[in-house]
């Protein structure tokens, strides 16, 4: 339809048709399938509720730009958008609810840029989307909760770049994304939870580069990635817990290089990586505990090179590395009490080295390595005084050093460590005699 022939419904005429209800609206749209409907700068604060439930929108522009919804209850549930351009740019929402639950988007675009929300409950649960772009860039969500759960999103894109969430809970859990692009570059997440639990990502490009999290829980637990890339580069996690347990990652790339975990607990427990590449190079593990126990890497090289570990407990126990494992040039701070690879299996090339001297003796008890391994470190045994005697600070250091020597075999470093091992045993024994 040419611009001269296009039907445009706006202002009071658009409000009048809306107030006549769903049946009359849908009848009009059926007769004007390509129309534009304009609610620009409309003040909806005069209405206690704004109900578009079950409405069908035409394939033209649907504009609520600069509209003021104040504290209204706004519903677009079960609404159909087909080849529509939906615009909420620069609009305002207060302490109300905005829901698109069970709405259907097909070959459309949804614009929610530079929009301001204030404690708004925003819900896209059970939404279906096909060939649609959603743009939330630079939106200020305040303390609003945002939910996109149980959604089916395909051949679409969601852009939350430079968006800020101050305190609300964010959930994309139990959803399926296929052939999509999800972008959260430089997004600021405040004191709420951020959840992607039990979601499925197939042929998805997920980018969270430079985003910041300060809430109690960030979780991708039990999610499945297939033929997808996930970028967590330069991301920063603060406050409480990061739960990435029991994830399955197949045929893709996951990149945490330059990330900072400055939180209580980080866990990748039980996650599986198959035919993928995993990059933790130059990552800072500044958390209290870090758990990579029972992780599995099949045809999936993993890099931790140049990472800073200051977590009190860093555990990678009972893990299986089927491909290259690069732990070179680790920076280990004095705050580390446990650095453990107990019972893990390295079936391919294993490279492990620590920058400068370290008081932390890594634990390789019952660890299996292939012939393609290289271990380099300089242990400065941590001791404490008991009267006139020195005592090894950690009773288990001697055993850990013995395990290191077992892996090293007949090498100069093994000979050097034998002296350190004898000191650990002697100092501890002499300290016992002095008690």
């Amino acid at each position: 339809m040419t611009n001269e022939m296009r039907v445009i419904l706006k202002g009071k005429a658009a409000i009048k048709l809306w107030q006549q209800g769903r049946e009359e609206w849908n009848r009009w749209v059926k007769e004007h399938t390509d129309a534009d409907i304009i609610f620009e700068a409309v003040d909806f604060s005069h209405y206690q509720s704004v109900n578009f439930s079950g409405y069908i929108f035409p394939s033209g522009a649907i504009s609520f730009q600069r509209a003021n919804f104040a504290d209204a209850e706004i519903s677009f549930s079960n609404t159909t958008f087909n080849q529509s351009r939906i615009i909420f740019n620069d609009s305002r929402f207060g302490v109300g609810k905005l829901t698109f639950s069970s709405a259907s988007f097909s070959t459309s675009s949804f614009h929610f840029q530079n929009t301001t929300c204030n404690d708004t409950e925003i819900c896209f649960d059970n939404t279906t989307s096909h060939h649609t772009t959603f743009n939330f860039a630079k939106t200020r969500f305040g303390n609003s909760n945002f939910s996109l759960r149980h959604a089916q999103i395909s051949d679409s894109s969601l852009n939350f770049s430079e968006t800020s969430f101050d305190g609300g809970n964010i959930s994309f859990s139990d959803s399926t994304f296929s052939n999509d692009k999800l972008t959260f570059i430089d997004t600021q997440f405040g004191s709420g939870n951020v959840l992607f639990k039990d979601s499925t990502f197939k042929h998805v490009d997920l980018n969270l580069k430079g985003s910041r999290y300060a809430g109690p829980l960030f979780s991708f637990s039990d999610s499945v990635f297939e033929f997808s890339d996930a970028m967590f580069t330069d991301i920063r996690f603060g406050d409480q817990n990061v739960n990435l347990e029991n994830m399955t990652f197949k045929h893709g790339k996951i990149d945490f290089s330059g990330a900072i975990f400055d939180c209580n607990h980080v866990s990748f427990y039980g996650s599986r990586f198959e035919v993928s590449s995993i990059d933790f190079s130059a990552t800072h593990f500044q958390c209290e505990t870090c758990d990579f126990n029972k992780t599995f890497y099949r045809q999936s090289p993993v890099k931790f090179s140049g990472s800073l570990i200051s977590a009190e407990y860093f555990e990678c126990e009972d893990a299986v590395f089927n491909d290259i494992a690069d732990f070179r040039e680790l920076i280990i701070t004095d705050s580390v009490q446990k650095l453990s690879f107990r019972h893990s299996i390295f079936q391919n090339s294993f490279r492990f080295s620590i920058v400068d001297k370290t008081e932390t003796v890594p634990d390789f008890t019952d660890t299996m390595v292939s012939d393609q391994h290289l271990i380099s470190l300089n242990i400065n045994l941590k001791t404490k005084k008991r009267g006139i005697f020195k005592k090894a600070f950690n009773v288990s250091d001697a055993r850990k050093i013995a395990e290191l020597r077992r892996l090293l075999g007949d090498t100069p470093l093994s000979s050097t460590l034998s002296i350190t091992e004898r000191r650990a045993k002697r100092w501890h024994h002499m300290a016992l005699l002095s008690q």
Side-chain angles (χ1 to χ4, degrees):
M1 182 180 290
T2 63
N3 289 335
E4 291 78 7
M5 298 173 61
R6 180 176 291 280
V7 174
I8 300 176
L9 188 70
K10 64 179 180 179
K12 293 181 179 179
I15 293 174
K16 182 179 178 180
L17 180 62
W18 160 58
Q19 290 181 317
Q20 288 176 8
R22 180 177 61 224
E23 290 186 8
E24 189 61 33
W25 174 284
N26 290 347
R27 186 181 300 114
W28 185 91
V29 169
K30 190 174 181 180
E31 297 172 356
H32 305 86
T33 57
D34 298 323
D36 294 340
I37 302 180
I38 310 298
F39 290 95
E40 288 186 3
V42 169
D43 187 358
F44 286 98
S45 64
H46 304 298
Y47 306 96
Q48 211 168 22
S49 66
V50 179
N51 190 357
F52 284 92
S53 297
Y55 281 47
I56 299 172
F57 283 84
S59 61
I62 314 300
S63 180
F64 291 89
Q65 189 164 357
R66 300 192 308 280
N68 177 27
F69 291 94
D71 298 335
E73 298 287 319
I74 309 137
S75 177
F76 288 87
S77 60
N78 295 293
T79 301
T80 300
F81 298 96
N82 185 18
Q83 299 183 11
S84 304
R85 187 160 58 94
I86 309 109
I87 306 168
F88 283 89
N89 293 348
D90 303 299
S91 54
R92 287 183 169 272
F93 297 88
V95 185
K97 185 172 183 179
L98 171 62
T99 179
F100 286 87
S101 60
S102 300
S104 174
F105 298 86
S106 179
T107 322
S108 299
S109 61
F110 185 94
H111 304 268
F112 208 84
Q113 297 166 268
N114 297 306
T115 301
T116 301
C117 302
N118 182 20
D119 297 333
T120 313
E121 293 284 336
I122 302 172
C123 178
F124 283 81
D125 290 353
N126 299 296
T127 294
T128 59
S129 168
H130 186 64
H131 284 293
T132 296
T133 62
F134 294 87
N135 196 341
F136 294 90
K138 299 183 179 180
T139 292
R140 299 171 297 280
F141 283 98
N143 292 319
S144 301
N145 294 322
F146 187 100
S147 179
L148 194 147
R149 299 178 66 244
H150 303 287
Q152 301 287 326
I153 311 296
S154 64
D155 299 288
S156 299
S157 66
L158 285 78
N159 183 10
F160 287 85
S161 294
E162 299 183 57
T163 295
S164 63
F165 296 90
D166 293 338
N169 293 316
I170 319 300
S171 180
F172 292 82
S173 297
D174 303 293
S175 293
T176 299
F177 302 91
S178 57
N179 298 300
D180 296 326
K181 184 175 183 178
L182 281 63
T183 307
F184 295 84
I185 296 174
D186 294 326
T187 302
Q188 304 292 320
F189 294 90
S191 57
N193 296 319
V194 180
L195 308 177
F196 289 82
K197 298 169 61 177
D198 292 293
S199 288
T200 300
F201 304 84
K202 295 182 179 180
H203 298 277
V204 170
D205 180 5
L206 173 64
N207 193 337
L208 298 98
K209 181 179 180 179
S211 54
R212 299 290 183 267
Y213 300 85
L217 177 62
F218 175 92
S219 179
F220 271 86
S221 63
D222 299 291
S223 288
V224 176
F225 291 80
E226 295 182 355
F227 299 97
S228 298
D229 293 339
M231 299 295 109
F232 296 87
T233 53
D234 302 314
I235 196 172
R236 180 158 192 156
F237 298 98
D239 205 3
Q240 301 294 321
N241 300 309
V242 177
N243 185 349
L244 301 166
E245 296 181 352
N246 299 308
M247 291 193 309
T248 300
F249 209 97
K250 297 180 179 180
H251 300 280
K253 179 180 180 181
I254 183 166
D255 191 349
F256 279 91
S257 60
I260 298 175
F261 293 93
D262 190 12
C263 48
N264 285 355
H265 181 62
V266 178
S267 180
F268 286 81
Y269 179 92
S271 289
R272 296 178 64 90
F273 305 90
E274 302 186 29
V275 199
S276 301
S277 65
I278 307 99
D279 192 351
F280 286 95
S281 57
T283 298
H284 289 202
F285 296 97
Q286 299 170 188
C287 41
E288 293 182 11
T289 60
C290 189
D291 184 351
F292 283 88
N293 295 331
K294 294 186 181 297
T295 49
F296 178 82
Y297 308 83
R298 185 179 72 84
Q299 296 181 35
S300 300
V302 58
K303 291 199 308 183
F304 282 83
S305 54
S307 288
L308 168 70
I309 299 177
S310 58
E312 291 183 30
Y313 299 93
F314 186 97
E315 297 181 353
C316 188
E317 300 181 350
D318 299 293
V320 177
F321 296 83
N322 176 260
D323 210 315
I324 298 169
D326 184 356
F327 287 82
R328 289 177 299 174
E329 298 182 348
L330 298 180
I331 303 169
I332 309 298
T333 69
D334 292 342
S335 61
V336 178
Q337 298 180 29
K338 183 180 182 181
L339 177 62
S340 178
F341 297 87
R342 291 168 59 94
H343 310 292
S344 289
I345 300 173
F346 296 88
Q347 297 175 337
N348 205 308
S349 174
F350 174 50
R351 298 290 185 267
F352 181 92
S353 64
I354 296 176
V355 175
D356 297 327
K357 291 184 177 181
T358 178
E359 294 183 337
T360 303
V361 182
D363 191 349
F364 288 97
T365 301
D366 296 325
T367 301
M368 296 177 59
V369 298
S370 72
D371 293 336
Q372 304 176 59
H373 69 274
L374 178 64
I375 298 175
S376 176
L377 73 169
N378 187 351
I379 294 174
N380 183 25
L381 194 65
K382 189 174 184 179
T383 61
K384 60 182 178 181
K385 278 194 172 184
R386 174 75 68 178
I388 61 173
F389 297 100
K390 283 184 177 180
K391 178 181 179 181
F393 189 85
N394 295 308
V395 177
S396 60
D397 277 354
R399 175 186 55 79
K400 293 176 186 177
I401 296 170
E403 288 290 337
L404 266 172
R405 294 186 59 228
R406 173 182 64 82
L407 297 181
L408 289 166
D410 187 14
T411 62
L413 179 56
S414 179
S415 299
T416 301
L417 288 175
S418 67
I419 300 172
T420 308
E421 180 187 355
R422 287 196 298 273
R423 287 174 177 169
K425 290 178 178 178
R426 183 175 68 248
W427 289 344
H428 181 62
H429 178 68
M430 290 177 68
L432 290 175
L433 292 176
S434 69
Q435 293 178 6

